[in-house]
Amino acid sequence: MARAVLGIIGGSGLYEFEALTDRRWETVSSPFGEPSDQLLFGTFGEQQLVFLPRHGRGHVLPPSEINYRANIDALKRAGVTDVLSLSAVGSFRDDLAPGHFVLVDQFVDRTFARHKSFFGAGCVAHVTFSHPVSARLQDALEEAGRSLGLVMHRGGVYLCMEGPQFSTYAESVLYQSWGCDVIGMTNMPEAKLAREAELPYATVAMVTDYDCWHPDHDSVSVEAIIGVMTANADNARALVTEVAPRLAERPEVDREGGDRALDTAIVTHPDMRDPELLAKLDAVAGRVLG
């Protein structure tokens, strides 16, 4: 077993993490641009944590303008070994009610205006992504959530839309007919990039509302969401403090979680690789590019 460094990506309503000791905000530079904010380093008990507010402190970044590549690259450079994503979502199911937490295990990506890979011309890679979420992280989250008395649902499909507008009624009914369970705007390409960076990843989808398919609820509005989001944020902080000690140790190699995803992913011949791109990939892919 190895010591873990837990990375926490905070979504809407989660811009700080006061429970940490030895707290310090630090700038971590990335060759892929500017992360959403500085990273908050600290400890909880003996567990090292690194917290990043996805939208920046004060919620200054809309979903399409978040630099997902810089965020994941910065976490990797900071020594993070595992990533927990805390994300506000709408629900497509009656039994996934506002205030409930869903440990999603699949994604449908409907985004179209975002950089979705660290790789590209000069160094092409194709990672396996059939099972995008770490079962090891989900096990710990489920156990921690239930010990706190939170309503936790294990498994589900997260549809990621581009935003920033909410769905039309036609879109909402369509996504529900596809078998999607929740909808959000931020977990893609975040989860894809975490896999490319060989960081086991899990999402805690925090339900704030029913999407507009629901016949007994009004259209989605920010005002209706904020009250639930505040309560969810408090529960999310409690969940992180409960789960952190359970994840203090991790396997040296967590293949099922994706931390060897690049072993057979890079297809560009070594003689044809672009040195400039390789230099940018030093943190993300340094293990295999060496």
Side-chain angles (χ1 to χ4, degrees):
M1 302 295 286
R3 296 297 297 177
V5 178
L6 194 58
I8 310 296
I9 301 177
S12 297
L14 285 162
Y15 316 110
E16 268 279 4
F17 203 80
E18 297 84 355
L20 297 182
T21 56
D22 302 320
R23 293 159 38 92
R24 63 193 188 280
W25 288 95
E26 292 188 9
T27 299
V28 178
S29 298
S30 167
F32 294 95
E34 293 298 319
S36 295
D37 205 326
Q38 293 179 304
L39 274 58
L40 177 61
F41 291 78
T43 58
F44 183 76
E46 297 182 358
Q47 173 64 53
Q48 295 182 51
L49 273 79
V50 181
F51 174 78
L52 173 64
R54 184 187 286 116
H55 297 278
R57 283 169 283 182
H59 204 116
V60 296
L61 294 171
S64 298
E65 295 183 37
I66 293 168
N67 190 335
Y68 296 93
R69 292 194 300 180
N71 285 353
I72 295 298
D73 180 73
L75 289 172
K76 184 79 172 185
R77 291 178 187 279
V80 165
T81 60
D82 303 279
V83 175
L84 303 183
S85 165
L86 306 172
S87 307
V89 298
S91 169
F92 289 124
R93 287 170 38 188
D94 277 308
D95 62 323
L96 302 182
H100 291 197
F101 284 15
V102 185
L103 301 176
V104 301
D105 54 9
Q106 287 293 331
F107 299 99
V108 173
D109 188 357
R110 296 284 291 171
T111 65
F112 52 82
R114 309 175 187 189
H115 292 293
K116 300 190 179 188
S117 178
F118 291 109
F119 299 89
C123 190
V124 178
H126 302 280
V127 299
T128 299
F129 200 55
S130 55
H131 300 288
V133 170
S134 166
R136 174 177 59 87
L137 298 182
Q138 282 198 316
D139 288 344
L141 286 164
E142 182 178 24
E143 184 179 290
R146 298 201 187 286
S147 73
L148 291 171
L150 302 178
V151 182
M152 305 282 289
H153 301 264
R154 176 72 178 261
V157 179
Y158 176 124
L159 184 135
C160 192
M161 64 184 298
E162 186 64 48
Q165 302 84 0
F166 294 120
S167 305
T168 67
Y169 176 76
E171 289 170 331
S172 188
V173 171
L174 176 65
Y175 300 153
Q176 187 189 41
S177 76
W178 287 354
C180 298
D181 299 293
V182 296
I183 184 168
M185 301 181 187
T186 58
N187 275 202
M188 287 285 112
E190 186 177 272
K192 291 178 176 177
L193 294 166
R195 177 58 54 89
E196 287 190 345
E198 300 189 321
L199 291 173
Y201 178 95
T203 289
V204 180
M206 305 178 294
V207 179
T208 59
D209 61 281
Y210 290 109
D211 205 52
C212 62
W213 64 272
H214 203 296
D216 298 329
H217 292 266
D218 293 330
S219 298
V220 179
S221 71
V222 171
E223 295 149 315
I225 288 172
I226 285 178
V228 179
M229 192 168 67
T230 300
N232 278 354
D234 291 339
N235 286 333
R237 292 186 185 94
L239 179 62
V240 171
T241 57
E242 183 70 21
V243 79
R246 304 169 195 263
L247 294 173
E249 291 188 334
R250 70 186 305 279
E252 288 282 355
V253 177
D254 181 13
R255 291 187 182 276
E256 291 185 0
D259 69 4
R260 290 296 184 270
L262 296 179
D263 275 355
T264 58
I266 299 174
V267 296
T268 304
H269 191 280
D271 293 343
M272 301 300 292
R273 294 173 184 172
D274 176 14
E276 185 175 342
L277 178 54
L278 296 185
K280 294 171 70 173
L281 293 168
D282 62 328
V284 167
R287 184 186 68 83
V288 293
L289 293 175

